PDB file of all heavy atoms in Angstrom:
ATOM      1  N   ASN T 358      63.340 245.127 202.668  1.00 98.00           N
ATOM      2  CA  ASN T 358      62.988 243.889 202.002  1.00 98.00           C
ATOM      3  C   ASN T 358      63.945 242.725 202.247  1.00 98.00           C
ATOM      4  O   ASN T 358      63.586 241.573 202.042  1.00 98.00           O
ATOM      5  CB  ASN T 358      62.874 244.126 200.480  1.00 98.00           C
ATOM      6  CG  ASN T 358      61.665 244.979 200.129  1.00 98.00           C
ATOM      7  OD1 ASN T 358      60.692 244.992 200.854  1.00 98.00           O
ATOM      8  ND2 ASN T 358      61.761 245.683 199.030  1.00 98.00           N
ATOM      9  N   ASP T 359      65.182 243.005 202.663  1.00 98.00           N
ATOM     10  CA  ASP T 359      66.116 241.920 202.941  1.00 98.00           C
ATOM     11  C   ASP T 359      66.581 241.856 204.382  1.00 98.00           C
ATOM     12  O   ASP T 359      67.580 241.251 204.723  1.00 98.00           O
ATOM     13  CB  ASP T 359      67.311 241.951 202.003  1.00 98.00           C
ATOM     14  CG  ASP T 359      68.088 243.268 202.046  1.00 98.00           C
ATOM     15  OD1 ASP T 359      67.793 244.100 202.925  1.00 98.00           O
ATOM     16  OD2 ASP T 359      68.956 243.468 201.188  1.00 98.00           O
ATOM     17  N   THR T 360      65.810 242.513 205.262  1.00 98.00           N
ATOM     18  CA  THR T 360      66.055 242.429 206.688  1.00 98.00           C
ATOM     19  C   THR T 360      64.887 241.733 207.372  1.00 98.00           C
ATOM     20  O   THR T 360      63.715 242.171 207.235  1.00 98.00           O
ATOM     21  CB  THR T 360      66.235 243.827 207.322  1.00 98.00           C
ATOM     22  OG1 THR T 360      67.350 244.492 206.706  1.00 98.00           O
ATOM     23  CG2 THR T 360      66.503 243.730 208.826  1.00 98.00           C
ATOM     24  N   LEU T 361      65.145 240.665 208.061  1.00 98.00           N
ATOM     25  CA  LEU T 361      64.105 239.888 208.766  1.00 98.00           C
ATOM     26  C   LEU T 361      64.066 240.318 210.232  1.00 98.00           C
ATOM     27  O   LEU T 361      65.071 240.193 210.931  1.00 98.00           O
ATOM     28  CB  LEU T 361      64.375 238.390 208.638  1.00 98.00           C
ATOM     29  CG  LEU T 361      63.458 237.428 209.359  1.00 98.00           C
ATOM     30  CD1 LEU T 361      62.021 237.602 208.924  1.00 98.00           C
ATOM     31  CD2 LEU T 361      63.931 236.006 209.143  1.00 98.00           C
ATOM     32  N   ILE T 362      62.923 240.814 210.677  1.00 98.00           N
ATOM     33  CA  ILE T 362      62.766 241.275 212.051  1.00 98.00           C
ATOM     34  C   ILE T 362      61.954 240.252 212.846  1.00 98.00           C
ATOM     35  O   ILE T 362      60.933 239.785 212.352  1.00 98.00           O
ATOM     36  CB  ILE T 362      62.111 242.658 212.087  1.00 98.00           C
ATOM     37  CG1 ILE T 362      62.986 243.680 211.364  1.00 98.00           C
ATOM     38  CG2 ILE T 362      61.866 243.104 213.534  1.00 98.00           C
ATOM     39  CD1 ILE T 362      62.312 244.996 211.119  1.00 98.00           C
ATOM     40  N   VAL T 363      62.410 239.941 214.020  1.00 98.00           N
ATOM     41  CA  VAL T 363      61.741 238.974 214.907  1.00 98.00           C
ATOM     42  C   VAL T 363      61.518 239.674 216.259  1.00 98.00           C
ATOM     43  O   VAL T 363      62.453 240.241 216.828  1.00 98.00           O
ATOM     44  CB  VAL T 363      62.594 237.702 215.126  1.00 98.00           C
ATOM     45  CG1 VAL T 363      61.819 236.685 215.948  1.00 98.00           C
ATOM     46  CG2 VAL T 363      63.054 237.134 213.787  1.00 98.00           C
ATOM     47  N   TRP T 364      60.298 239.609 216.753  1.00 98.00           N
ATOM     48  CA  TRP T 364      59.958 240.244 218.053  1.00 98.00           C
ATOM     49  C   TRP T 364      59.306 239.192 218.953  1.00 98.00           C
ATOM     50  O   TRP T 364      58.414 238.464 218.531  1.00 98.00           O
ATOM     51  CB  TRP T 364      59.005 241.371 217.854  1.00 98.00           C
ATOM     52  CG  TRP T 364      58.554 242.124 219.082  1.00 98.00           C
ATOM     53  CD1 TRP T 364      59.078 243.253 219.622  1.00 98.00           C
ATOM     54  CD2 TRP T 364      57.463 241.753 219.970  1.00 98.00           C
ATOM     55  NE1 TRP T 364      58.395 243.617 220.761  1.00 98.00           N
ATOM     56  CE2 TRP T 364      57.391 242.704 221.022  1.00 98.00           C
ATOM     57  CE3 TRP T 364      56.555 240.692 219.985  1.00 98.00           C
ATOM     58  CZ2 TRP T 364      56.458 242.633 222.041  1.00 98.00           C
ATOM     59  CZ3 TRP T 364      55.605 240.631 221.010  1.00 98.00           C
ATOM     60  CH2 TRP T 364      55.566 241.606 222.024  1.00 98.00           C
ATOM     61  N   GLY T 365      59.732 239.160 220.224  1.00 98.00           N
ATOM     62  CA  GLY T 365      59.057 238.279 221.183  1.00 98.00           C
ATOM     63  C   GLY T 365      59.960 237.880 222.348  1.00 98.00           C
ATOM     64  O   GLY T 365      61.135 238.243 222.413  1.00 98.00           O
ATOM     65  N   GLY T 366      59.365 237.085 223.254  1.00 98.00           N
ATOM     66  CA  GLY T 366      60.060 236.595 224.399  1.00 98.00           C
ATOM     67  C   GLY T 366      60.048 235.100 224.484  1.00 98.00           C
ATOM     68  O   GLY T 366      59.660 234.407 223.528  1.00 98.00           O
ATOM     69  N   GLU T 367      60.455 234.575 225.637  1.00 98.00           N
ATOM     70  CA  GLU T 367      60.646 233.125 225.800  1.00 98.00           C
ATOM     71  C   GLU T 367      59.319 232.372 225.944  1.00 98.00           C
ATOM     72  O   GLU T 367      59.249 231.173 225.720  1.00 98.00           O
ATOM     73  CB  GLU T 367      61.555 232.833 226.977  1.00 98.00           C
ATOM     74  CG  GLU T 367      61.036 233.290 228.339  1.00 98.00           C
ATOM     75  CD  GLU T 367      61.476 234.683 228.695  1.00 98.00           C
ATOM     76  OE1 GLU T 367      61.581 235.546 227.796  1.00 98.00           O
ATOM     77  OE2 GLU T 367      61.704 234.940 229.900  1.00 98.00           O
ATOM     78  N   PHE T 368      58.263 233.038 226.339  1.00 98.00           N
ATOM     79  CA  PHE T 368      56.904 232.499 226.372  1.00 98.00           C
ATOM     80  C   PHE T 368      55.949 233.656 226.616  1.00 98.00           C
ATOM     81  O   PHE T 368      56.336 234.828 226.398  1.00 98.00           O
ATOM     82  CB  PHE T 368      56.714 231.382 227.408  1.00 98.00           C
ATOM     83  CG  PHE T 368      57.469 231.548 228.721  1.00 98.00           C
ATOM     84  CD1 PHE T 368      57.103 232.514 229.644  1.00 98.00           C
ATOM     85  CD2 PHE T 368      58.532 230.712 229.035  1.00 98.00           C
ATOM     86  CE1 PHE T 368      57.768 232.650 230.845  1.00 98.00           C
ATOM     87  CE2 PHE T 368      59.220 230.839 230.246  1.00 98.00           C
ATOM     88  CZ  PHE T 368      58.830 231.825 231.169  1.00 98.00           C
ATOM     89  N   GLY T 369      54.729 233.393 227.008  1.00 98.00           N
ATOM     90  CA  GLY T 369      53.739 234.459 227.237  1.00 98.00           C
ATOM     91  C   GLY T 369      53.283 234.512 228.698  1.00 98.00           C
ATOM     92  O   GLY T 369      53.978 234.035 229.597  1.00 98.00           O
ATOM     93  N   ARG T 370      52.092 235.072 228.886  1.00 98.00           N
ATOM     94  CA  ARG T 370      51.566 235.260 230.248  1.00 98.00           C
ATOM     95  C   ARG T 370      50.222 234.523 230.425  1.00 98.00           C
ATOM     96  O   ARG T 370      49.511 234.269 229.465  1.00 98.00           O
ATOM     97  CB  ARG T 370      51.336 236.749 230.552  1.00 98.00           C
ATOM     98  CG  ARG T 370      52.473 237.689 230.196  1.00 98.00           C
ATOM     99  CD  ARG T 370      53.789 237.343 230.866  1.00 98.00           C
ATOM    100  NE  ARG T 370      53.722 237.302 232.325  1.00 98.00           N
ATOM    101  CZ  ARG T 370      54.805 237.039 233.101  1.00 98.00           C
ATOM    102  NH1 ARG T 370      55.970 236.763 232.523  1.00 98.00           N
ATOM    103  NH2 ARG T 370      54.708 237.013 234.397  1.00 98.00           N
ATOM    104  N   THR T 371      49.900 234.257 231.668  1.00 97.00           N
ATOM    105  CA  THR T 371      48.610 233.693 232.020  1.00 97.00           C
ATOM    106  C   THR T 371      47.615 234.846 232.230  1.00 97.00           C
ATOM    107  O   THR T 371      47.975 236.021 232.160  1.00 97.00           O
ATOM    108  CB  THR T 371      48.681 232.843 233.283  1.00 97.00           C
ATOM    109  OG1 THR T 371      49.071 233.696 234.380  1.00 97.00           O
ATOM    110  CG2 THR T 371      49.664 231.703 233.117  1.00 97.00           C
ATOM    111  N   LEU T 372      46.396 234.476 232.614  1.00 95.00           N
ATOM    112  CA  LEU T 372      45.374 235.499 232.864  1.00 95.00           C
ATOM    113  C   LEU T 372      45.477 236.138 234.233  1.00 95.00           C
ATOM    114  O   LEU T 372      44.917 237.187 234.466  1.00 95.00           O
ATOM    115  CB  LEU T 372      43.973 234.876 232.725  1.00 95.00           C
ATOM    116  CG  LEU T 372      43.521 234.559 231.289  1.00 95.00           C
ATOM    117  CD1 LEU T 372      42.170 233.824 231.328  1.00 95.00           C
ATOM    118  CD2 LEU T 372      43.394 235.833 230.488  1.00 95.00           C
ATOM    119  N   GLY T 373      46.196 235.503 235.117  1.00 92.00           N
ATOM    120  CA  GLY T 373      46.305 236.072 236.471  1.00 92.00           C
ATOM    121  C   GLY T 373      47.387 235.440 237.280  1.00 92.00           C
ATOM    122  O   GLY T 373      48.018 234.471 236.874  1.00 92.00           O
ATOM    123  N   GLU T 374      47.626 236.039 238.439  1.00 91.00           N
ATOM    124  CA  GLU T 374      48.609 235.549 239.404  1.00 91.00           C
ATOM    125  C   GLU T 374      47.863 235.278 240.708  1.00 91.00           C
ATOM    126  O   GLU T 374      47.004 236.054 241.119  1.00 91.00           O
ATOM    127  CB  GLU T 374      49.712 236.598 239.591  1.00 91.00           C
ATOM    128  CG  GLU T 374      50.659 236.355 240.729  1.00 91.00           C
ATOM    129  CD  GLU T 374      51.499 235.112 240.553  1.00 91.00           C
ATOM    130  OE1 GLU T 374      52.270 235.029 239.585  1.00 91.00           O
ATOM    131  OE2 GLU T 374      51.370 234.195 241.397  1.00 91.00           O
ATOM    132  N   LYS T 375      48.188 234.187 241.357  1.00 83.00           N
ATOM    133  CA  LYS T 375      47.413 233.754 242.526  1.00 83.00           C
ATOM    134  C   LYS T 375      47.471 234.769 243.651  1.00 83.00           C
ATOM    135  O   LYS T 375      46.559 234.826 244.488  1.00 83.00           O
ATOM    136  CB  LYS T 375      47.944 232.391 243.015  1.00 83.00           C
ATOM    137  CG  LYS T 375      49.400 232.408 243.460  1.00 83.00           C
ATOM    138  CD  LYS T 375      49.844 231.035 243.910  1.00 83.00           C
ATOM    139  CE  LYS T 375      51.277 231.000 244.370  1.00 83.00           C
ATOM    140  NZ  LYS T 375      51.737 229.667 244.796  1.00 83.00           N
ATOM    141  N   ASP T 376      48.517 235.578 243.746  1.00 82.00           N
ATOM    142  CA  ASP T 376      48.664 236.498 244.890  1.00 82.00           C
ATOM    143  C   ASP T 376      48.073 237.865 244.648  1.00 82.00           C
ATOM    144  O   ASP T 376      48.006 238.674 245.578  1.00 82.00           O
ATOM    145  CB  ASP T 376      50.145 236.624 245.248  1.00 82.00           C
ATOM    146  CG  ASP T 376      50.745 235.327 245.734  1.00 82.00           C
ATOM    147  OD1 ASP T 376      49.993 234.530 246.332  1.00 82.00           O
ATOM    148  OD2 ASP T 376      51.937 235.071 245.462  1.00 82.00           O
ATOM    149  N   THR T 377      47.703 238.159 243.408  1.00 88.00           N
ATOM    150  CA  THR T 377      47.167 239.512 243.130  1.00 88.00           C
ATOM    151  C   THR T 377      46.326 239.484 241.889  1.00 88.00           C
ATOM    152  O   THR T 377      46.562 238.706 240.962  1.00 88.00           O
ATOM    153  CB  THR T 377      48.330 240.541 242.943  1.00 88.00           C
ATOM    154  OG1 THR T 377      47.786 241.787 242.532  1.00 88.00           O
ATOM    155  CG2 THR T 377      49.309 240.059 241.862  1.00 88.00           C
ATOM    156  N   LYS T 378      45.305 240.344 241.857  1.00 89.00           N
ATOM    157  CA  LYS T 378      44.471 240.441 240.649  1.00 89.00           C
ATOM    158  C   LYS T 378      45.249 241.106 239.517  1.00 89.00           C
ATOM    159  O   LYS T 378      45.031 240.792 238.354  1.00 89.00           O
ATOM    160  CB  LYS T 378      43.231 241.282 240.959  1.00 89.00           C
ATOM    161  CG  LYS T 378      42.250 240.579 241.902  1.00 89.00           C
ATOM    162  CD  LYS T 378      41.004 241.448 242.129  1.00 89.00           C
ATOM    163  CE  LYS T 378      40.004 240.751 243.038  1.00 89.00           C
ATOM    164  NZ  LYS T 378      38.809 241.598 243.242  1.00 89.00           N
ATOM    165  N   ASP T 379      46.105 242.081 239.851  1.00 95.00           N
ATOM    166  CA  ASP T 379      46.872 242.805 238.844  1.00 95.00           C
ATOM    167  C   ASP T 379      48.245 242.139 238.686  1.00 95.00           C
ATOM    168  O   ASP T 379      49.291 242.684 239.020  1.00 95.00           O
ATOM    169  CB  ASP T 379      47.031 244.264 239.274  1.00 95.00           C
ATOM    170  CG  ASP T 379      47.694 245.096 238.191  1.00 95.00           C
ATOM    171  OD1 ASP T 379      47.799 244.599 237.038  1.00 95.00           O
ATOM    172  OD2 ASP T 379      48.185 246.194 238.500  1.00 95.00           O
ATOM    173  N   GLY T 380      48.233 240.875 238.176  1.00 96.00           N
ATOM    174  CA  GLY T 380      49.475 240.168 237.989  1.00 96.00           C
ATOM    175  C   GLY T 380      49.259 238.974 237.050  1.00 96.00           C
ATOM    176  O   GLY T 380      48.115 238.558 236.793  1.00 96.00           O
ATOM    177  N   THR T 381      50.346 238.434 236.538  1.00 97.00           N
ATOM    178  CA  THR T 381      50.272 237.308 235.606  1.00 97.00           C
ATOM    179  C   THR T 381      51.375 236.311 235.958  1.00 97.00           C
ATOM    180  O   THR T 381      52.309 236.621 236.691  1.00 97.00           O
ATOM    181  CB  THR T 381      50.466 237.768 234.165  1.00 97.00           C
ATOM    182  OG1 THR T 381      51.771 238.335 234.015  1.00 97.00           O
ATOM    183  CG2 THR T 381      49.401 238.764 233.740  1.00 97.00           C
ATOM    184  N   ASP T 382      51.238 235.114 235.398  1.00 97.00           N
ATOM    185  CA  ASP T 382      52.264 234.072 235.589  1.00 97.00           C
ATOM    186  C   ASP T 382      52.780 233.635 234.200  1.00 97.00           C
ATOM    187  O   ASP T 382      52.438 234.196 233.175  1.00 97.00           O
ATOM    188  CB  ASP T 382      51.655 232.906 236.360  1.00 97.00           C
ATOM    189  CG  ASP T 382      52.694 232.126 237.146  1.00 97.00           C
ATOM    190  OD1 ASP T 382      53.920 232.307 236.860  1.00 97.00           O
ATOM    191  OD2 ASP T 382      52.327 231.356 238.028  1.00 97.00           O
ATOM    192  N   HIS T 383      53.633 232.620 234.192  1.00 98.00           N
ATOM    193  CA  HIS T 383      54.285 232.176 232.966  1.00 98.00           C
ATOM    194  C   HIS T 383      53.348 231.261 232.142  1.00 98.00           C
ATOM    195  O   HIS T 383      52.694 230.396 232.711  1.00 98.00           O
ATOM    196  CB  HIS T 383      55.561 231.393 233.280  1.00 98.00           C
ATOM    197  CG  HIS T 383      56.539 232.149 234.128  1.00 98.00           C
ATOM    198  ND1 HIS T 383      57.630 231.564 234.706  1.00 98.00           N
ATOM    199  CD2 HIS T 383      56.559 233.474 234.506  1.00 98.00           C
ATOM    200  CE1 HIS T 383      58.306 232.465 235.389  1.00 98.00           C
ATOM    201  NE2 HIS T 383      57.666 233.626 235.287  1.00 98.00           N
ATOM    202  N   ASN T 384      53.347 231.438 230.844  1.00 98.00           N
ATOM    203  CA  ASN T 384      52.479 230.663 229.977  1.00 98.00           C
ATOM    204  C   ASN T 384      53.253 230.214 228.742  1.00 98.00           C
ATOM    205  O   ASN T 384      53.388 230.964 227.770  1.00 98.00           O
ATOM    206  CB  ASN T 384      51.259 231.455 229.570  1.00 98.00           C
ATOM    207  CG  ASN T 384      50.313 230.672 228.659  1.00 98.00           C
ATOM    208  OD1 ASN T 384      50.511 229.498 228.452  1.00 98.00           O
ATOM    209  ND2 ASN T 384      49.283 231.330 228.158  1.00 98.00           N
ATOM    210  N   PRO T 385      53.745 228.940 228.718  1.00 98.00           N
ATOM    211  CA  PRO T 385      54.407 228.422 227.528  1.00 98.00           C
ATOM    212  C   PRO T 385      53.448 227.741 226.546  1.00 98.00           C
ATOM    213  O   PRO T 385      53.843 227.333 225.478  1.00 98.00           O
ATOM    214  CB  PRO T 385      55.368 227.396 228.121  1.00 98.00           C
ATOM    215  CG  PRO T 385      54.620 226.865 229.296  1.00 98.00           C
ATOM    216  CD  PRO T 385      53.828 227.998 229.855  1.00 98.00           C
ATOM    217  N   ARG T 386      52.137 227.665 226.913  1.00 98.00           N
ATOM    218  CA  ARG T 386      51.206 226.836 226.142  1.00 98.00           C
ATOM    219  C   ARG T 386      50.660 227.559 224.905  1.00 98.00           C
ATOM    220  O   ARG T 386      50.250 226.929 223.968  1.00 98.00           O
ATOM    221  CB  ARG T 386      50.046 226.424 227.047  1.00 98.00           C
ATOM    222  CG  ARG T 386      50.455 225.665 228.285  1.00 98.00           C
ATOM    223  CD  ARG T 386      49.257 225.296 229.118  1.00 98.00           C
ATOM    224  NE  ARG T 386      48.415 226.444 229.417  1.00 98.00           N
ATOM    225  CZ  ARG T 386      47.109 226.381 229.657  1.00 98.00           C
ATOM    226  NH1 ARG T 386      46.493 225.215 229.585  1.00 98.00           N
ATOM    227  NH2 ARG T 386      46.416 227.461 229.936  1.00 98.00           N
TER     228      ARG T 386
END
Side-chain angles (χ1 to χ4, degrees):
N358 290 334
D359 56 10
T360 300
L361 177 58
I362 298 169
V363 185
W364 179 95
E367 62 269 35
F368 37 71
R370 312 303 302 181
T371 63
L372 286 174
E374 169 65 62
K375 62 181 181 180
D376 296 328
T377 175
K378 292 182 179 179
D379 185 14
T381 62
D382 207 343
H383 305 169
N384 181 6
R386 304 180 306 153

